[in-house]
């Protein structure tokens, strides 16, 4: 049972435009959500996070939105840059058991110059 | 400061063999977690250690095991390797929980 779903395996956008990556979850116990970026031959690197008490968190060009009623979160990248091309993973955890994260399968973002 | 170091980076093993992977966490980090990444499957949690104790374990068969030493370095072992064990194995360390992960670059295991 996949508790964190990223339904788009890939996304292609033009440089300068907005990239929107989506993630859905099924477990109501999740109360903390993170996005990681992964380049080939490297480990994932933390990008941005949001707790369930908020519905938006911003960090520079990156904004994460959380819709708890829909069990949906999204990552917006504005403006997109070619260096943003990578695989993006959505992850979720619960405060009651913060010893692990549940990851989605990832979305490959390609930003074309 | 030094990051999370995983060795070896690449490994080729034959079915039925066993393998041991190593992870050295960031200095001061006491929690080490292991994840398996296979094509199209995302990252799947294997186990987490804190101060030499396994606190949580994922849904993997008993062939997958791990341990943590007093200096927080961790090893994971896979016995009786199967073709399906071919994957990127990632180690992540943090001061205490899952929300402060720093990942290593991983060990790419190929089973032939």
């Amino acid at each position: 049972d996949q508790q964190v779903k990223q339904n788009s395996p890939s996304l292609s956008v033009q440089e300068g435009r907005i990239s929107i990556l989506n993630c859905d979850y099924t477990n109501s116990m999740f109360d903390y959500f993170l996005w990681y970026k992964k380049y080939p031959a490297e480990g994932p690197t933390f990008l941005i996070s949001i707790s369930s008490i908020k519905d938006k968190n911003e960090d520079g060009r990156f904004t994460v939105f959380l819709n708890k009623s829909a069990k949906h979160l999204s990552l917006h990248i504005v403006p997109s840059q070619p260096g943003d091309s990578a695989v993006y993973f959505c992850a979720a955890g619960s405060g009651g058991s913060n010893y692990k994260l549940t990851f989605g399968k990832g979305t490959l973002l390609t930003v074309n110059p | 400061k030094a990051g999370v170091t995983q060795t070896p980076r690449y490994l080729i093993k034959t079915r039925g063999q066993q393998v041991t992977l190593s992870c050295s966490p960031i200095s001061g980090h006491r929690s080490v977690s292991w994840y398996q990444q296979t094509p199209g499957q995302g990252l799947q949690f294997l186990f987490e250690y804190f101060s030499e104790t396994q606190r949580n374990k994922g849904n993997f068969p008993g062939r997958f095991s791990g341990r943590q030493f007093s200096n927080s370095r961790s090893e994971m072992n896979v016995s009786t390797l199967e073709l399906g064990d071919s994957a990127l194995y990632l180690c992540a360390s943090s001061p205490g929980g899952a929300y402060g992960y720093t990942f290593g670059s991983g060990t790419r295991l190929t089973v032939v």
Side-chain angles (χ1 to χ4, degrees), chain A residues 38 41 43 94 98-99 101 105, chain B residues 9 35 37 40 55 98-99 104:
Chain A
K38 186 180 184 300
S94 62
N98 69 338
Y99 308 144
L101 295 178
K105 294 185 179 183
Chain B
R9 288 296 308 273
Y35 286 82
Q37 184 190 5
R55 291 196 297 190
Y99 302 155

Side-chain angles (χ1 to χ4, degrees), chain B residues 56-71:
Chain B
N56 205 348
K57 189 177 191 304
N59 296 323
F60 278 82
R63 300 185 297 106
F64 292 81
S65 63
R67 59 177 175 169
Q68 186 180 35
F69 302 95
S70 58
N71 62 356

Side-chain angles (χ1 to χ4, degrees), chain A residues 67 70 73 91:
Chain A
N67 182 332
L73 64 155

Side-chain angles (χ1 to χ4, degrees), chain A residues 13-33:
Chain A
V13 300
Q14 287 299 121
E15 181 179 4
R17 307 294 290 268
I18 184 172
S19 295
I20 300 176
L21 296 94
N22 294 303
C23 178
D24 297 297
Y25 62 96
T26 58
N27 190 337
S28 301
M29 299 301 293
F30 289 147
D31 57 11
Y32 201 80
F33 305 89

Side-chain angles (χ1 to χ4, degrees), chain A residues 48-63:
Chain A
I48 193 169
S49 63
I50 189 168
S51 76
S52 59
I53 63 173
K54 301 176 77 173
D55 55 19
K56 177 182 173 182
N57 189 26
E58 255 180 291
D59 185 1
R61 296 186 297 115
F62 303 92
T63 303

